[in-house]
Amino acid sequence: MEVGDGVDSESKSQRRVGLLYDERMCKHSTPDGEPHPENPDRIKVIWNKLQAASIPQRCVLLDAKEAEDKHILAVHSQNHVNLIKNISSKQFDSRRNRIASKLNSIYLNEGSSEAAYLAAGSAIEVTERVAKGEVDSAVAIIRPPGHHAEEDEAMGFCLFNNVAIAASYLLNEKPELLIKKILIVDWDVHHGNATQKMFWKDPRVLFFSVHRHEFGTFYPATDDGFYTMIGEGPGSGYNINVPWENSQCGDADYFAVWEHILLPVTKEFNPDLIIVSAGFDAAIGDPLGGCRITPHGYSVMLKKLMNFADGKIVLALEGGYNFESIAKSMLACVEVLLEDKPILGSSVAYPFESTWRVIQAVRKKLSAYWPSLADELPEELTNRKAPPAVYVPNSSSDSEAEEDDESQKVSEHLEEVLQDIIEPLSKLKVAESNQDHAACNSNTWRSELSKVDIWYAAFGSNLWLKRLLCYIEGGQVDGLQKPCVGSVDKTSPKEIMWKTFPYRLFFGREFSLSWGPGGVAFLDPESNSQDKTYICLYRITLEQFNDLLVQENHEGYVMSSPLFDLTALNSVTVEEPHSLQVRLEKGWYRNVVYLGKEHDIPILTMTCTPSEIEGFKSGEHALCAPAINYANMIVRGLVEGKQLSQEEAMAYIQEASTKGL
Ligand code: Q9C
Ligand code: ZN
């Protein structure tokens, strides 16, 4: 009766991931050491972070190489190549600063030439290794970045267009590797103006860029990044821009774009290889970007792309200017490339209204080229939106000096508004039935959710049926500090069954309102097959489950719409264990975890959030053995449920409360 025992650690296949870093790319720096966001420490902190996580040992380390002129010349002019080749030589000492000052957002020094050649050559190197199948995927930690560098002009901190050079190299120089179609995903917060131009008429390269645009006021501040720019001639339809109208876009906005634009198009295009222009300046905390992608967000975005091109995917660093953000984001990405396991974690909040507007505009504009974009998105979907972004005045046209902190600060009033609106969104499907959403918008949700059964999986005091029934019928059992209100629907569970799961039971917190002093039970769904937790499954309705969620977390919370609806259920059941946080701001059981199915009915439990589990592991939150009254509930549950004898049950709790996490 055990589930999940097939997931032994041996069978977790490790993918081969190429990793390239070379300190020589740090030689490009401001001539007099003036501070600059695009500085050598960027790649150093990324490398240090990966080392601290013992990542390099798990990767195939690749050597940096200088690009050959003939390969750079595929996308840059002879003039430009000459300039970058010679700019660091002695003869240019007196002219270098003057040349740089005439360019847009460029500095140059004695190390610039070498770094630029290494960045471009390294992009070629990793891409070729992936194309040859020597590694499954690869990451190039390179600088200077590339996507702004035009055919005949350095700009935007970029000297050579590394990604464009690598893509051209495979297409033009290596036909035998059979890479005929390349998808470039540019998730740097800035529009990849130069990459767009270089493949403007080329249907072999699908260039996709999602960026802050703000109607042409955000860097590079032209109309080129607008969604109307779709390519030309044979390249028509092979250029896709998703231009944000405002700052502060985060996971939900990017996931929505992935789900409703990028993934369906990628499926149709069917690329042989994917190159990500992987800037991390849309990450939360970035001083230039003002967006809010979390490391979890990046890992989901990447994982979804790995389903295409046979997993052949290359990440080439572009921008990203907050050390901590870029290091954490890159680490999250490499871990996804390395590991063949589902991603845990959750993201909250809806996309902005502006995001739905942009998504619909893009879909409409490109629907003639990509049939999968043709359907109009249902209103029930696009109705789900976050309140408008708080307007933050821009100091300059590309708003470089803005928002650092402001973008993450949310006014107290807004917090209240959000409380009512944010909700898990990791996988909204176009095809999803409209009733799912309609149910949420009115008080019909109870009757809708009452038609859906789930197994509520209890591993703490609710193992004891009488205690669980307090949450259904209302009332109080011995040891409970106060009576429960019960559920609206007071029907008893339709079925009860027991199972053991390969997850870790532990006890944390020193006090709870329900039980007084002592720890309460939590499940760590990330732990391994050596663990064994007794769980009692109660077959109840999804409506009742919502009432349980409230009582477990925030007694008295008025639930005008469900905390966990059909959309949430759809999104959480994609893989197991998968979790979704509900929109409650407090409560220790607001993380719903999907544990698989029984009789084709999903099994859901609730535990603390992944970050709280981290807190228990790090010692930030206290582990604490359960008080005797609480432990007694569990023992009674196990004994009356005929799972264990009194002694065995006590030993079981004893073990769970003494083993460290
Ligand atoms: N007021 C990349 O992220 N800002 N480049 C110029 C002038 C330039 C960003 C500010 C931002 C370039 C690769
Ligand atoms: Zn950028």
Side-chain angles (χ1 to χ4, degrees), residues 147-148 156-157 188-191 218-219 279-282 288 318-321:
H147 70 155
H148 296 308
F157 316 158
D188 185 284
V189 79
H190 302 97
H191 179 231
F218 195 77
Y219 193 86
F280 292 110
D281 42 11
L288 270 61
E318 297 278 2
Y321 307 101

Side-chain angles (χ1 to χ4, degrees), residues 15 332 346 363 384 399 569 635:
R15 299 193 189 91
S346 53
R363 287 173 62 97
R384 320 185 118 223
S399 41
L569 187 64
V635 171

Side-chain angles (χ1 to χ4, degrees), residues 402-443:
E402 60 159 301
E403 337 186 335
D404 194 0
D405 298 329
E406 286 91 332
S407 67
Q408 280 138 62
K409 237 185 275 155
V410 180
S411 78
E412 250 162 63
H413 168 68
L414 197 68
E415 200 79 61
E416 279 166 39
V417 181
L418 275 171
Q419 166 81 6
D420 219 45
I421 269 180
I422 57 177
E423 187 158 322
L425 184 149
S426 75
K427 225 191 175 174
L428 286 175
K429 294 203 196 82
V430 197
E432 218 170 307
S433 115
N434 297 356
Q435 308 149 15
D436 297 2
H437 303 293
C440 310
N441 294 334
S442 69
N443 35 22

Side-chain angles (χ1 to χ4, degrees), residues 626-644:
I628 191 70
N629 56 354
Y630 185 76
N632 280 341
M633 303 285 147
I634 301 179
V635 171
R636 292 182 84 158
L638 288 163
V639 173
E640 288 179 22
K642 301 198 175 19
Q643 296 303 296
L644 295 173

